[in-house]
Amino acid sequence: MAGAHRIVVKIGSSSLTSASGRLDPGRPAALVEVLAGLYRQGKSVVLVSSGAVAAGLAPLGMTARPDELSEQQAAASVGQGLLMGTYGAEFGRYGIQVGQVLLTAGDITRRDHYHNARRTLKKLMHMGIVPVVNENDVVATHEVRFGDNDRLAALVAELIGADLLVLLSDVEALYDGDPLSAGTRPIAEIRGPADLAGIRTGTPGRSGVGTGGMGAKVQAAMTAASAGIPVVLAAARHAARALAGGETGTYFHAARQRPAEQLFWLAHATAPQGRIVLDAAAVRDVREHGGPVLWTGVTAVEGQFTAGDPVDLTDGAGRPVARGLARLASDDLVRLLAGFPVPDEGPGAMAYPEVVSAQDVALFAPHAHAHAHPYAYTYAETSTA
């Protein structure tokens, strides 16, 4: 950890606000002091910061995070500028320039936008600017959003090829039960999904200003760790100790090899546009031999998608087996299964028997932490990247 050069630090709303739920300027200041120390050591830092909605509550006369989406967006619109102003002033005390990066789910799920985001972040770091990343809550909707900045931080860490991800919150570590219950203990290390068996995690924090609970943090940590990035989950007040490699919080060990970048993107950054149901033989071929999906192994098509869209591949019981990029549109595949040829301008069944190519399949495996997310990407059968 102490040797990490490229570091992503995520801090949640609850760690930036006072007991009243309003932005507490002293808390960003304390975090920036730690991050500035890393910067002076020659390290590259990306800050993923929540807090825009919380920062906008007081100026709008709100006493708590609103439930209505339009009011959340209004608070974020006012608060994001105030949040960036706070970070700009605090980093400016150390002679460090910051740059705002607002992302939506579409910026990650769309392949071209994904690469654009990577280029922007890397250029900012190359110029000595600290990117401050947040979800664009002003335009995000309930249906199309990351849901929490923990997942966003994990995806950003993979985007820039980070050496370390640090998730800071108001909780000391991952516990083997409710931290407020007697007899529960913090967990020092997580070496893999098996270590999470039987562990239940909570909902969003009691402050009411955040959106991600411990389950979201653990899932984000496992996502980044599976991409070969070690993760520390710690209390924000222990940020200096965590970033120095001290014994605090929970350490998630990185996978031994990084997956192919496209397969990571498929498994964790995309949203499936439909489902292709496979017969038992096709499921075995995909799982055991890494083979392509042939149209002869397809039993049903669900949803509407076009060629190149991500789709989930499921078995006959509806259990996800993998995610892949469709080579045929759903309408063409339905016609093909019904015995009709696909349109002349589309790929023909005899010339293109593959519905999904082998290199475009990201396998899934049951995850021990199923209550947070039912499936996790299996990297053992992928190449390194």
Side-chain angles (χ1 to χ4, degrees):
M1 288 175 54
H5 175 74
R6 190 172 291 180
I7 303 167
V8 174
V9 177
K10 182 265 178 182
I11 189 163
S13 297
S14 61
S15 299
L16 295 172
T17 55
S18 63
S20 65
R22 312 295 179 87
L23 186 68
D24 179 353
R27 299 192 179 193
L31 175 64
V32 169
E33 182 180 4
V34 175
L35 301 184
L38 297 177
Y39 186 94
R40 289 194 295 267
Q41 295 173 33
K43 299 178 185 290
S44 295
V45 179
V46 175
L47 174 60
V48 178
S49 177
S50 303
V53 174
L57 296 182
L60 294 180
M62 298 178 179
T63 58
R65 183 184 178 92
D67 294 326
E68 186 179 328
L69 176 61
S70 61
E71 291 183 347
Q72 293 176 17
Q73 292 171 326
S77 177
V78 173
Q80 184 62 36
L82 297 174
L83 185 65
M84 282 303 301
T86 298
Y87 280 128
E90 293 300 332
F91 275 105
R93 293 172 52 205
Y94 303 95
I96 301 171
Q97 180 70 45
V98 299
Q100 177 177 257
V101 180
L102 296 178
L103 296 173
T104 65
D107 296 322
I108 299 296
T109 59
R110 292 181 56 180
R111 189 73 172 154
D112 54 343
H113 288 202
Y114 189 79
H115 286 298
N116 287 340
R118 169 180 284 141
R119 282 193 291 268
T120 299
L121 288 167
K122 288 191 172 182
K123 176 56 72 173
L124 287 170
M125 290 186 294
H126 178 73
M127 297 173 68
I129 298 171
V130 173
V132 179
V133 182
N134 196 358
E135 179 166 16
N136 193 346
D137 290 318
V138 177
V139 298
T141 66
H142 291 311
E143 292 78 17
V144 184
R145 65 179 305 158
F146 293 105
D148 57 76
N149 273 344
D150 300 299
R151 177 174 176 242
L152 175 59
L155 296 176
V156 167
E158 193 281 332
L159 262 179
I160 67 167
D163 305 311
L164 177 66
L165 169 62
V166 178
L167 301 175
L168 300 174
S169 71
D170 53 357
V171 180
E172 298 280 344
L174 172 64
Y175 283 74
D176 58 7
D178 186 340
L180 298 181
S181 299
T184 56
R185 296 178 300 173
I187 300 172
E189 295 179 90
I190 296 293
R191 296 185 178 274
D195 290 347
L196 295 170
I199 297 175
R200 306 295 296 182
T201 55
T203 55
R206 296 172 177 79
S207 66
V209 296
T211 58
M214 182 56 72
K217 292 171 178 55
V218 171
Q219 182 60 35
M222 295 300 292
T223 295
S226 64
I229 303 167
V231 182
V232 177
L233 193 160
R237 63 182 178 276
H238 296 156
R241 189 189 309 169
L243 287 160
E247 293 187 6
T248 187
T250 302
Y251 181 78
F252 291 77
H253 289 262
R256 293 182 179 178
Q257 62 180 24
R258 295 200 176 195
E261 184 269 336
Q262 169 152 314
L263 296 185
F264 177 91
W265 170 78
L266 256 178
H268 293 294
T270 61
Q273 302 304 300
R275 305 198 332 163
I276 297 175
V277 183
L278 309 181
D279 62 25
V283 169
R284 280 195 307 272
D285 192 46
V286 170
R287 278 182 173 162
E288 298 175 11
H289 307 294
V293 177
L294 306 181
W295 72 270
T296 51
V298 176
T299 62
V301 179
E302 301 175 5
Q304 292 287 322
F305 50 87
T306 62
D309 280 347
V311 294
D312 274 351
L313 308 176
T314 75
D315 62 17
R319 293 183 294 260
V321 174
R323 185 168 298 164
L325 296 179
R327 297 194 67 187
L328 288 174
S330 54
D331 290 344
D332 289 343
L333 184 52
V334 169
R335 286 176 55 85
L336 188 60
L337 295 178
F340 297 100
V342 296
D344 291 341
E345 65 272 16
M350 297 306 295
Y352 296 95
E354 296 179 354
V355 174
V356 180
S357 297
Q359 67 267 24
D360 293 332
V361 174
L363 290 175
F364 289 127
H367 196 299
H369 205 53
H371 64 281
H373 193 288
Y375 293 89
Y377 183 39
T378 297
Y379 293 115
E381 300 178 57
T382 66
S383 60
T384 58

